[in-house]
Amino acid sequence: MLQFRGSVVTSDAGLLAYRELDDAIGLSAVAGETLADTRTGKDGRQALVGLLRQSVFGRLAGYDDVNDAERLRHDPAMRWIVGGNAAHGSAASPSQMARFETRWLTVEKNLFALADLSGRWIDIVHGRRPPKGIVLDMDSSVSPTHGEQENSVWNGHYACTCYHPLFVFNQFGDLERCALRPGNVHSADGWKEVLDPVVARYRGKVSRIYFRADAGFANPEVYEFLEAERIKYAVRLPKNPILQGRIGYLLKRPVGRPPNEVRRFHANFTYQAASWTKPRRVIAKVEWHPGELIPRVGFIVTNLSRPAERVVAFYNKRGTCEQWIKEGKGAIKWTRLSCCSFAANAVRLQLHALAYNLGKFLRTLATPEPIKDWLLTSLKEKLIKIGAKVVRHGRYVAFQMAEVAIPRQMFQEILRLIAELRPQPPPSPA
């Protein structure tokens, strides 16, 4: 016998842990203070926060389309996450969510506030665990489009019609800031508008800021900005004949039978390109791989004083930034930008970024050791997608959760770690 009781059964009970984290550190409260609500009504601010929760938490659970609200509005877990009247009635409908995302949030001041919100959330998390230094990784990505979206343009490098968003991550994998751009812009286009607010947030708060980027950001304006802000950087340089000539002695094939392992050499010199106002330190890495006749050569411009090998090792860790972009594409599906207007798609990207950061925060602050290294995809499939039956009592509602991938003890540990993040009450007077 099969019975379908959607209003008393949920497949996303694990979202309640993220809702507890949200409540413990006040993420939605900050959003409510940041976003402007032009509607009139007695409880408009709370309704706006509820809409944002439904939008962000829905994306975290894999519901990245406004049409998903038709079912989610009746889902008991989503209703309790949204809170307010939704807990005992229903959450927002698809038409309400569409107005929220494509009309209210696309207002210029709200779009700016959304772009700042990820950074404000990260500041809250860092307030719990202050970092001594920050490493910023900047990179662009591709979001393929399949319709008539505004500013969706053919990009020859990616060989598709797309948008070309720009991202800045920190060393913990949090998305500090992002911006949606037309598909045909250069990788570094608009870099200062994205990087400057991030640097301004950390100015005076941390002892050291580092920056890494690939050759698309090898721009003298970038170097000058970083040097003026006293930021240590390592940026890949495109090859050119002058740089190749400076390391010509390393490009000659070593004498003797080649070994089976990679032979790696480094060079360190000062170089000034025609567009630079002063000479800068450049490090070259030359690798001879078994079976290859031509070496692999790379150049890095830097103001770091550490040895060449350590600078190269520091720059190579930039590859984790690309993994975080892949994680966002796979777990949050932030490449799904299917609205007609560019502003609406820019809002969608920012909402995806908030969902991504919310997933990262739980992994950073409140995951037990056995699951601390799980990807967001694994957390979504095993933690969020917990089935539960909802039983209503006179004074409380019970979610009877299934024990499959996440046992009871582990879920209890997650909730215990979240409870420790809550502000402690002041001591009572003696």
Short mmCIF file of all heavy atoms in Angstrom, two decimals, residues 375-405:
data_model
loop_
_atom_site.label_atom_id
_atom_site.label_comp_id
_atom_site.label_asym_id
_atom_site.label_seq_id
_atom_site.Cartn_x
_atom_site.Cartn_y
_atom_site.Cartn_z
N LEU A 375 32.45 16.96 1.15
CA LEU A 375 32.11 18.02 0.21
C LEU A 375 30.67 18.45 0.42
O LEU A 375 29.86 17.74 1.04
CB LEU A 375 32.32 17.53 -1.22
CG LEU A 375 33.75 17.17 -1.62
CD1 LEU A 375 33.76 16.60 -3.04
CD2 LEU A 375 34.67 18.36 -1.53
N LEU A 376 30.33 19.61 -0.11
CA LEU A 376 28.95 20.10 0.01
C LEU A 376 27.97 19.14 -0.65
O LEU A 376 26.83 18.99 -0.19
CB LEU A 376 28.82 21.48 -0.62
CG LEU A 376 29.55 22.63 0.09
CD1 LEU A 376 29.23 23.95 -0.58
CD2 LEU A 376 29.21 22.68 1.56
N THR A 377 28.41 18.48 -1.71
CA THR A 377 27.54 17.51 -2.37
C THR A 377 27.22 16.35 -1.44
O THR A 377 26.07 15.90 -1.35
CB THR A 377 28.19 16.99 -3.66
OG1 THR A 377 28.50 18.09 -4.51
CG2 THR A 377 27.26 16.04 -4.41
N SER A 378 28.23 15.85 -0.72
CA SER A 378 28.00 14.75 0.22
C SER A 378 27.12 15.20 1.37
O SER A 378 26.23 14.45 1.81
CB SER A 378 29.34 14.24 0.75
OG SER A 378 30.14 13.74 -0.30
N LEU A 379 27.33 16.41 1.87
CA LEU A 379 26.49 16.91 2.94
C LEU A 379 25.05 17.06 2.49
O LEU A 379 24.11 16.80 3.25
CB LEU A 379 27.03 18.25 3.45
CG LEU A 379 28.33 18.19 4.26
CD1 LEU A 379 28.87 19.58 4.52
CD2 LEU A 379 28.11 17.45 5.57
N LYS A 380 24.87 17.47 1.24
CA LYS A 380 23.50 17.61 0.73
C LYS A 380 22.82 16.25 0.61
O LYS A 380 21.67 16.08 1.03
CB LYS A 380 23.52 18.31 -0.63
CG LYS A 380 22.12 18.50 -1.24
CD LYS A 380 22.16 19.29 -2.53
CE LYS A 380 22.77 18.50 -3.66
NZ LYS A 380 22.67 19.21 -4.95
N GLU A 381 23.54 15.28 0.08
CA GLU A 381 22.94 13.97 -0.17
C GLU A 381 22.73 13.16 1.11
O GLU A 381 21.80 12.35 1.18
CB GLU A 381 23.81 13.18 -1.15
CG GLU A 381 23.86 13.81 -2.55
CD GLU A 381 24.84 13.10 -3.45
OE1 GLU A 381 25.61 12.25 -2.93
OE2 GLU A 381 24.86 13.39 -4.66
N LYS A 382 23.59 13.38 2.13
CA LYS A 382 23.53 12.52 3.32
C LYS A 382 23.01 13.23 4.56
O LYS A 382 22.42 12.58 5.43
CB LYS A 382 24.93 11.95 3.59
CG LYS A 382 25.45 11.08 2.46
CD LYS A 382 26.85 10.57 2.74
CE LYS A 382 27.36 9.71 1.60
NZ LYS A 382 28.73 9.19 1.86
N LEU A 383 23.26 14.53 4.68
CA LEU A 383 22.80 15.26 5.85
C LEU A 383 21.48 15.98 5.57
O LEU A 383 20.51 15.83 6.31
CB LEU A 383 23.86 16.26 6.31
CG LEU A 383 23.45 17.20 7.45
CD1 LEU A 383 23.09 16.40 8.70
CD2 LEU A 383 24.56 18.20 7.76
N ILE A 384 21.45 16.77 4.50
CA ILE A 384 20.23 17.54 4.21
C ILE A 384 19.09 16.60 3.82
O ILE A 384 17.96 16.74 4.29
CB ILE A 384 20.50 18.57 3.10
CG1 ILE A 384 21.47 19.64 3.61
CG2 ILE A 384 19.20 19.22 2.63
CD1 ILE A 384 21.86 20.66 2.57
N LYS A 385 19.38 15.62 2.98
CA LYS A 385 18.32 14.75 2.45
C LYS A 385 17.99 13.61 3.42
O LYS A 385 18.04 12.43 3.09
CB LYS A 385 18.75 14.17 1.10
CG LYS A 385 18.95 15.23 0.01
CD LYS A 385 17.67 15.95 -0.31
CE LYS A 385 17.86 16.98 -1.40
NZ LYS A 385 16.61 17.71 -1.71
N ILE A 386 17.64 13.99 4.64
CA ILE A 386 17.18 13.03 5.63
C ILE A 386 15.65 13.05 5.64
O ILE A 386 15.04 14.12 5.81
CB ILE A 386 17.72 13.37 7.03
CG1 ILE A 386 19.24 13.23 7.07
CG2 ILE A 386 17.09 12.45 8.08
CD1 ILE A 386 19.84 13.60 8.42
N GLY A 387 15.06 11.92 5.44
CA GLY A 387 13.60 11.83 5.48
C GLY A 387 13.10 11.89 6.91
O GLY A 387 13.75 11.40 7.84
N ALA A 388 11.94 12.51 7.10
CA ALA A 388 11.38 12.62 8.44
C ALA A 388 9.86 12.70 8.36
O ALA A 388 9.29 13.23 7.42
CB ALA A 388 11.92 13.86 9.15
N LYS A 389 9.23 12.14 9.38
CA LYS A 389 7.78 12.23 9.55
C LYS A 389 7.50 13.28 10.62
O LYS A 389 8.16 13.32 11.66
CB LYS A 389 7.19 10.88 9.97
CG LYS A 389 5.69 10.90 10.18
CD LYS A 389 5.18 9.53 10.64
CE LYS A 389 3.69 9.56 10.89
NZ LYS A 389 3.19 8.22 11.37
N VAL A 390 6.54 14.14 10.35
CA VAL A 390 6.22 15.23 11.25
C VAL A 390 5.01 14.85 12.09
O VAL A 390 3.96 14.50 11.55
CB VAL A 390 5.95 16.53 10.48
CG1 VAL A 390 5.71 17.68 11.44
CG2 VAL A 390 7.13 16.84 9.56
N VAL A 391 5.16 14.91 13.42
CA VAL A 391 4.08 14.58 14.35
C VAL A 391 3.82 15.81 15.21
O VAL A 391 4.71 16.31 15.89
CB VAL A 391 4.44 13.38 15.24
CG1 VAL A 391 3.31 13.08 16.21
CG2 VAL A 391 4.76 12.16 14.38
N ARG A 392 2.60 16.29 15.17
CA ARG A 392 2.23 17.49 15.92
C ARG A 392 1.64 17.09 17.27
O ARG A 392 0.76 16.24 17.35
CB ARG A 392 1.21 18.32 15.14
CG ARG A 392 1.78 18.95 13.88
CD ARG A 392 0.73 19.77 13.14
NE ARG A 392 1.30 20.42 11.98
CZ ARG A 392 1.90 21.61 12.00
NH1 ARG A 392 1.97 22.29 13.14
NH2 ARG A 392 2.39 22.12 10.90
N HIS A 393 2.13 17.74 18.31
CA HIS A 393 1.60 17.58 19.65
C HIS A 393 1.01 18.92 20.11
O HIS A 393 1.07 19.92 19.40
CB HIS A 393 2.69 17.10 20.61
CG HIS A 393 3.25 15.76 20.24
ND1 HIS A 393 2.68 14.57 20.63
CD2 HIS A 393 4.33 15.43 19.49
CE1 HIS A 393 3.39 13.55 20.14
NE2 HIS A 393 4.40 14.05 19.46
N GLY A 394 0.49 18.92 21.29
CA GLY A 394 -0.17 20.13 21.76
C GLY A 394 0.76 21.32 21.88
O GLY A 394 0.39 22.44 21.53
N ARG A 395 2.00 21.09 22.35
CA ARG A 395 2.91 22.21 22.60
C ARG A 395 4.19 22.15 21.78
O ARG A 395 5.06 23.01 21.94
CB ARG A 395 3.26 22.26 24.09
CG ARG A 395 2.11 22.75 24.96
CD ARG A 395 2.50 22.84 26.43
NE ARG A 395 2.73 21.51 27.02
CZ ARG A 395 3.05 21.34 28.30
NH1 ARG A 395 3.24 22.39 29.08
NH2 ARG A 395 3.22 20.12 28.78
N TYR A 396 4.35 21.16 20.95
CA TYR A 396 5.55 21.10 20.12
C TYR A 396 5.28 20.24 18.90
O TYR A 396 4.28 19.52 18.81
CB TYR A 396 6.74 20.55 20.91
CG TYR A 396 6.56 19.14 21.42
CD1 TYR A 396 6.96 18.04 20.65
CD2 TYR A 396 6.02 18.90 22.68
CE1 TYR A 396 6.80 16.74 21.11
CE2 TYR A 396 5.85 17.61 23.14
CZ TYR A 396 6.24 16.54 22.36
OH TYR A 396 6.08 15.26 22.82
N VAL A 397 6.22 20.33 17.94
CA VAL A 397 6.18 19.53 16.71
C VAL A 397 7.42 18.66 16.68
O VAL A 397 8.54 19.16 16.86
CB VAL A 397 6.11 20.43 15.46
CG1 VAL A 397 6.23 19.60 14.20
CG2 VAL A 397 4.82 21.23 15.45
N ALA A 398 7.25 17.36 16.47
CA ALA A 398 8.38 16.42 16.45
C ALA A 398 8.67 15.99 15.01
O ALA A 398 7.75 15.65 14.26
CB ALA A 398 8.06 15.19 17.30
N PHE A 399 9.96 16.06 14.63
CA PHE A 399 10.41 15.52 13.35
C PHE A 399 11.05 14.16 13.64
O PHE A 399 12.14 14.09 14.21
CB PHE A 399 11.42 16.46 12.69
CG PHE A 399 10.81 17.68 12.06
CD1 PHE A 399 10.46 18.78 12.83
CD2 PHE A 399 10.57 17.74 10.70
CE1 PHE A 399 9.89 19.90 12.27
CE2 PHE A 399 10.00 18.86 10.12
CZ PHE A 399 9.66 19.94 10.90
N GLN A 400 10.38 13.10 13.26
CA GLN A 400 10.89 11.75 13.48
C GLN A 400 11.78 11.39 12.29
O GLN A 400 11.32 11.00 11.22
CB GLN A 400 9.72 10.76 13.62
CG GLN A 400 8.83 11.07 14.82
CD GLN A 400 7.65 10.13 14.94
OE1 GLN A 400 7.36 9.37 14.01
NE2 GLN A 400 6.96 10.17 16.08
N MET A 401 13.10 11.51 12.49
CA MET A 401 14.07 11.46 11.40
C MET A 401 14.60 10.05 11.20
O MET A 401 14.77 9.29 12.15
CB MET A 401 15.21 12.44 11.67
CG MET A 401 14.73 13.86 11.91
SD MET A 401 16.03 15.00 12.40
CE MET A 401 16.92 15.15 10.86
N ALA A 402 14.88 9.75 9.94
CA ALA A 402 15.44 8.44 9.60
C ALA A 402 16.93 8.41 9.93
O ALA A 402 17.62 9.43 9.84
CB ALA A 402 15.23 8.16 8.12
N GLU A 403 17.44 7.26 10.34
CA GLU A 403 18.86 7.06 10.59
C GLU A 403 19.43 6.18 9.48
O GLU A 403 19.29 4.97 9.50
CB GLU A 403 19.08 6.38 11.95
CG GLU A 403 18.82 7.29 13.14
CD GLU A 403 19.26 6.63 14.45
OE1 GLU A 403 20.47 6.69 14.77
OE2 GLU A 403 18.40 6.05 15.12
N VAL A 404 20.06 6.82 8.52
CA VAL A 404 20.67 6.08 7.42
C VAL A 404 22.14 6.47 7.33
O VAL A 404 23.01 5.81 7.89
CB VAL A 404 19.93 6.34 6.08
CG1 VAL A 404 20.52 5.49 4.97
CG2 VAL A 404 18.44 6.06 6.22
N ALA A 405 22.45 7.56 6.61
CA ALA A 405 23.85 7.99 6.48
C ALA A 405 24.33 8.73 7.72
O ALA A 405 25.50 8.63 8.10
CB ALA A 405 23.99 8.88 5.25
#
